Amino acid sequence: MDLSNVRNGPERREYAKPPIRAIRPVVKNHRKEYHSHSTKLAEFVQPPYEALSYCWGTDDPSKKIKIFDNKFTKDRRSLKEALKEVKFLGFNIRHSLHEALKHFRTSEQDVILWVDALCIDQDNETEKTQQVAKMARIYSSAYHVLVWLGTGLKSCERAMDFVNEVIQLSKLDLMVKNGSHLLKWDELVDLLRCQWFSRRWVVQELAFAQDATLHYAEKSVYWSEFADAVALFVNKIDEIKPWFRKSNDFNNNQEHLGDVMALGASILVDVTRNSFRKRKWDSEDRYLEPLSGLEALISNLLSFEASDPRDTVYALLSIVRDNNEGRDNIDGRYIKADYQKTAIEVYRDFTRFCVERSKSVDIICRHWAPAKKRPLESARLNRTKSQKNGLIAKIPSWVPTLTGSPFGDPEAALNGRLNGDSFVGHPDRKPYNASKSEPASVRFEDYPILDASEVPEEPASPKTQASFVDGIADPSVPKERRHINRAFYMYVKGFKVDIVTNVSARIAGGLLLRECLTMGDWKEPDDESTNNVPDKLWRTLVADRGPSGENPPTWYQRACSECLARSTTSGDIDTGALIANQRSPSHLKDFLRRVQSIVWNRVFVTTRDQQHFGLAPKATRPGDLLCILLGCTVPVILRPPRLEDGKVGHYELIGETYIYGLMDGEALDMDGSPPYEDFKLG
């Protein structure tokens, strides 16, 4: 596709917006050598510039480039003359950026680019904090955003061409009806798996882009056309899949393409369409109206990662509706990017933000936080406080990590389901009300943990031990002490309901063992009645809800009975085998898919006193406590405190549960006031 007109850009003119730093890739003697020119655009008539969006990668920064100053631009001297006099600064970058810069430079015209790795000092916490606050301005001021997907796969190059076929609606219908182009659909999925589509920053970059194009090797396509192609593909996927079952080339596997809707590209298209609305006041000014809150957007982007774990939150601050005063955060009510904070402090700030906004603590049941213990990925990162702050230390149990999410962390997201869906659901659609809409009552504290070599001359005062209570740094605590390893606690008001006594084997791969079924009072029927399945069993298998959070269809009980009739010789229900069986009725498969989304990798539990029955996290053990927390829409499992140095320690949050008969406030309807207490979660 010819995008030359787009990249030529507007005429050079004075800009009223604040200056930024940009680079000019240079072709020296028209050869494949690489140099780049660093310039402060405010020092002369500010030219239009393009912003580069790319995936940093995790390889070592081994590609060498040279940076030189912008003095020649002031004197209007030629590049050739300037190169003779200027002193170069050596700089190492990663392969992806190196390939992008080589691709976008040209000998025919100046190319002015904004590139985050080169235009922001990644070792300077203060500058990073300032520049992240300007990201919206940087991308909205660029006349064009260049998206570099990479190079190396011919299948992806062909898929870039195929995009133009998909968006031809009459041709699309024909391709779907006759089952042609299966290889092209497969190659399109290869393209959708490009790592760029799982970058968290790209959501903001696309949101503010005036215009954007995607580039893979020498192929390119407009983002708007690509987004249409992806949306059409997802819309037609149920009609395309059966053709793969008929194809020997794809081993007659109907699920060969995998879960297309779970791909980052599909989620990105959906989020950019539904999470904000672009408005244009005139030819120059644009306004972005956010439609989603921060908690909701983070919940939608579980498969999107960031090199710096703090950017799990920071990358989205400019495009949410409930943090629009983030730059004026003086009272802890809003979040602003601050790279002097550790990752755990950012997680704490986000958790508190969600609780204050929603009056709910459902966020502590929703698996959203990165779990990897890795340093910041920076081209010039030294072993400094910047690196220490980016490391993920021991994460409190009230910050659930992505390893417990339905499809795991971003690297595992394409490999299929790992866990059941969250019971608390999406922040905007809460299917349960276990605490009867009682508002959350919480507070946060953190205390220093000092190694023997770090023990201060004077013991820590009580004030020091609560330097971030309610999220506000205590000015009496010296700066050098604020980044000492700290233990973070969350106090949540609630009450104990019962004690877990029996825990089943883990439900691996959706295999329901006979022993699990008998815990739900299942007994072999004496006749062929379809209504002999206990309510608490079939309702627990689907968490008493349909796929969209509505009440379950009444035929679910009949489908459950049919499944039990088709159990293995050992009395187990192999949900995967029944779904794969072409003879299984379609309604039975629908029921089983719902069951899989609920039970996967969980355990069945029963309790001691009231014989409650339900599903709990796989880490649940006998002796754990079944509790209700105010502001939490589902019951939770807590592990009782252990003695720590002769003192009572803290509770550990094991996770959310579905408990038959406790999901709609029944525990608070019992006679008498519940014995409330503040649970100290660590």
Side-chain angles (χ1 to χ4, degrees):
M1 181 180 294
D2 182 11
L3 302 176
S4 57
N5 290 334
V6 175
R7 294 213 52 212
N8 283 339
E11 293 296 323
R12 180 174 300 200
R13 62 183 184 273
E14 290 283 358
Y15 275 60
K17 296 179 173 62
I20 66 165
R21 189 182 298 142
I23 66 163
R24 176 183 297 168
V26 174
V27 181
K28 184 181 179 183
N29 296 331
H30 305 285
R31 297 197 300 268
K32 290 296 184 181
E33 300 176 8
Y34 178 78
H35 302 278
S36 82
H37 162 224
S38 177
T39 175
K40 293 183 179 179
L41 298 183
E43 294 184 0
F44 57 97
V45 176
Q46 183 172 341
Y49 67 93
E50 297 173 285
L52 179 64
S53 178
Y54 66 103
C55 187
W56 277 38
T58 57
D59 55 306
D60 292 331
S62 59
K63 301 295 182 180
K64 295 183 179 180
I65 63 171
K66 296 178 180 178
I67 305 288
F68 58 91
D69 205 354
N70 64 330
K71 292 180 180 179
F72 74 92
T73 58
K74 290 182 178 180
D75 302 334
R76 305 299 190 204
R77 294 183 295 174
S78 69
L79 174 62
K80 183 177 180 180
E81 293 173 343
L83 289 175
K84 292 178 181 179
E85 302 176 15
V86 74
K87 291 184 179 180
F88 291 95
L89 171 66
F91 199 88
N92 283 6
I93 60 176
R94 289 189 169 93
H95 176 78
S96 175
L97 177 55
H98 190 253
E99 291 297 307
L101 292 175
K102 288 197 301 182
H103 177 81
F104 291 118
R105 68 183 180 178
T106 174
S107 59
E108 286 76 28
Q109 64 180 26
D110 281 348
V111 176
I112 307 296
L113 291 177
W114 186 88
V115 183
D116 56 358
L118 302 179
C119 299
I120 299 177
D121 185 351
Q122 299 295 327
D123 296 330
N124 188 321
E125 294 173 337
T126 301
E127 177 169 325
K128 283 183 66 177
T129 297
Q130 293 171 344
Q131 291 298 313
V132 166
K134 298 176 181 178
M135 292 290 279
R137 185 182 306 158
I138 289 170
Y139 275 89
S140 61
S141 298
Y143 75 85
H144 189 70
V145 172
L146 298 167
V147 175
W148 178 247
L149 298 178
T151 186
L153 292 178
K154 292 296 182 182
S155 62
C156 290
E157 293 185 46
R158 292 190 292 268
M160 292 286 283
D161 291 332
F162 184 49
V163 165
N164 293 311
E165 297 182 53
V166 175
I167 59 178
Q168 299 177 36
L169 300 184
S170 58
K171 190 171 184 177
L172 173 63
D173 285 341
L174 183 61
M175 288 190 297
V176 172
K177 288 179 180 178
N178 63 22
S180 60
H181 297 78
L182 293 188
L183 178 59
K184 291 187 176 182
W185 292 122
D186 187 46
E187 291 176 339
L188 180 59
V189 171
D190 283 344
L191 180 63
L192 302 190
R193 291 175 184 268
C194 284
Q195 193 174 3
W196 181 85
F197 293 112
S198 63
R199 282 188 64 238
R200 188 163 289 250
W201 279 106
V202 305
V203 182
Q204 176 176 258
E205 293 163 3
L206 287 175
F208 288 104
Q210 295 187 39
D211 201 359
T213 50
L214 276 59
H215 300 258
Y216 191 96
E218 298 300 320
K219 305 292 184 178
S220 56
V221 64
Y222 287 101
W223 163 253
S224 58
E225 294 180 348
F226 178 85
D228 286 347
V230 173
L232 290 167
F233 177 40
V234 171
N235 182 259
K236 295 288 187 180
I237 191 64
D238 289 337
E239 298 176 55
I240 295 171
K241 280 185 174 183
W243 290 108
F244 281 87
R245 188 175 67 232
K246 301 176 182 179
S247 173
N248 293 330
D249 294 336
F250 295 96
N251 299 319
N252 304 104
N253 181 10
Q254 179 169 321
E255 301 301 322
H256 173 80
L257 297 179
D259 188 353
V260 173
M261 295 183 66
L263 294 174
S266 176
I267 297 171
L268 182 61
V269 169
D270 184 68
V271 166
T272 54
R273 183 178 68 243
N274 296 316
S275 295
F276 37 78
R277 184 180 296 116
K278 291 183 178 180
R279 294 182 175 181
K280 197 166 186 177
W281 296 110
D282 53 46
S283 60
E284 295 295 328
D285 297 316
R286 293 155 55 81
Y287 172 66
L288 186 74
E289 180 185 2
L291 303 178
S292 293
L294 182 58
E295 182 179 1
L297 195 54
I298 284 182
S299 300
N300 289 336
L301 298 173
L302 298 182
S303 61
F304 287 61
E305 60 183 339
S307 301
D308 186 332
R310 293 169 291 189
D311 289 337
T312 302
V313 176
Y314 290 165
L316 305 177
L317 295 182
S318 296
I319 54 175
V320 294
R321 70 169 188 265
D322 52 1
N323 196 62
N324 55 4
E325 298 182 28
R327 299 189 187 95
D328 302 314
N329 180 24
I330 58 175
D331 58 2
R333 295 181 182 177
Y334 297 92
I335 299 177
K336 70 174 182 178
D338 181 357
Y339 288 95
Q340 295 190 26
K341 290 188 174 183
T342 64
I344 303 301
E345 287 174 321
V346 176
Y347 295 174
R348 182 272 320 279
D349 291 348
F350 170 66
T351 302
R352 184 186 60 250
F353 175 90
C354 294
V355 174
E356 289 182 352
R357 286 292 184 277
S358 65
K359 309 303 179 185
S360 164
V361 293
D362 281 355
I363 187 61
I364 70 174
C365 295
R366 192 173 289 114
H367 294 268
W368 64 271
K372 289 188 176 180
K373 298 180 180 180
R374 63 183 181 188
L376 297 175
E377 294 173 0
S378 170
R380 297 183 296 148
L381 187 63
N382 297 318
R383 300 293 177 177
T384 63
K385 186 168 68 177
S386 176
Q387 182 192 35
K388 294 177 182 177
N389 292 354
L391 287 169
I392 302 179
K394 183 178 180 181
I395 300 178
S397 65
W398 46 269
V399 180
T401 63
L402 286 170
T403 53
S405 67
F407 297 94
D409 61 34
E411 292 182 2
L414 300 179
N415 298 326
R417 180 177 291 279
L418 294 178
N419 302 287
D421 291 346
S422 172
F423 291 134
V424 295
H426 193 271
D428 296 332
R429 300 182 300 274
K430 299 184 177 183
Y432 305 108
N433 191 16
S435 60
K436 293 196 71 174
S437 301
E438 289 286 336
S441 176
V442 305
R443 72 180 189 275
F444 296 85
E445 291 183 2
D446 60 280
Y447 305 93
I449 302 175
L450 303 178
D451 296 333
S453 61
E454 297 176 322
V455 175
E457 295 181 2
E458 298 180 3
S461 67
K463 210 168 193 178
T464 300
Q465 292 182 346
S467 64
F468 276 94
V469 173
D470 293 333
I472 304 175
D474 190 331
S476 68
V477 181
K479 288 184 178 180
E480 61 270 17
R481 292 183 53 82
R482 292 182 187 170
H483 292 285
I484 295 174
N485 288 334
R486 309 185 72 82
F488 290 82
Y489 300 103
M490 178 180 183
Y491 291 80
V492 188
K493 187 176 182 179
F495 60 93
K496 300 168 187 173
V497 176
D498 211 336
I499 300 175
V500 174
T501 51
N502 297 310
V503 180
S504 77
R506 178 175 62 91
I507 306 168
L511 179 63
L512 295 167
L513 300 177
R514 180 189 179 93
E515 293 78 6
C516 298
L517 302 174
T518 55
M519 288 177 67
D521 293 342
W522 164 246
K523 298 178 182 178
E524 291 287 348
D526 297 327
D527 52 39
E528 297 182 357
S529 171
T530 60
N531 295 319
N532 51 32
V533 182
D535 243 31
K536 73 175 183 179
L537 176 59
W538 76 263
R539 291 186 184 276
T540 298
L541 289 175
V542 296
D544 202 25
R545 294 294 186 270
S548 300
E550 75 283 6
N551 288 332
T554 55
W555 56 264
Y556 268 12
Q557 183 178 23
R558 190 176 299 274
C560 184
S561 180
E562 178 71 13
C563 291
L564 290 165
R566 294 170 181 251
S567 62
T568 66
T569 55
S570 300
D572 307 331
I573 297 179
D574 189 340
T575 60
L578 289 174
I579 291 174
N581 190 335
Q582 296 185 20
R583 297 182 179 180
S584 296
S586 61
H587 278 66
L588 187 69
K589 293 182 179 182
D590 290 342
F591 168 76
L592 289 171
R593 290 189 185 98
R594 173 60 183 168
V595 171
Q596 286 188 342
S597 71
I598 295 301
V599 305
W600 203 277
N601 218 20
R602 286 187 165 115
V603 295
F604 287 101
V605 296
T606 57
T607 63
R608 184 186 65 187
D609 298 329
Q610 302 177 40
Q611 295 298 300
H612 289 297
F613 170 73
L615 288 161
K618 64 181 179 181
T620 305
R621 303 192 301 226
D624 287 343
L625 303 176
L626 174 63
C627 301
I628 298 291
L629 304 180
L630 296 189
C632 191
T633 59
V634 300
V636 299
I637 298 292
L638 300 183
R639 185 152 296 155
R642 295 176 297 178
L643 289 178
E644 298 175 359
D645 298 327
K647 299 179 181 179
V648 177
H650 60 268
Y651 289 88
E652 179 183 355
L653 175 65
I654 304 303
E656 61 178 356
T657 66
Y658 171 86
I659 301 296
Y660 177 74
L662 285 183
M663 304 305 291
D664 295 299
E666 293 90 341
L668 282 84
D669 289 335
M670 299 177 184
D671 295 336
S673 176
Y676 289 112
E677 60 181 290
D678 285 336
F679 296 106
K680 178 184 178 181
L681 306 182

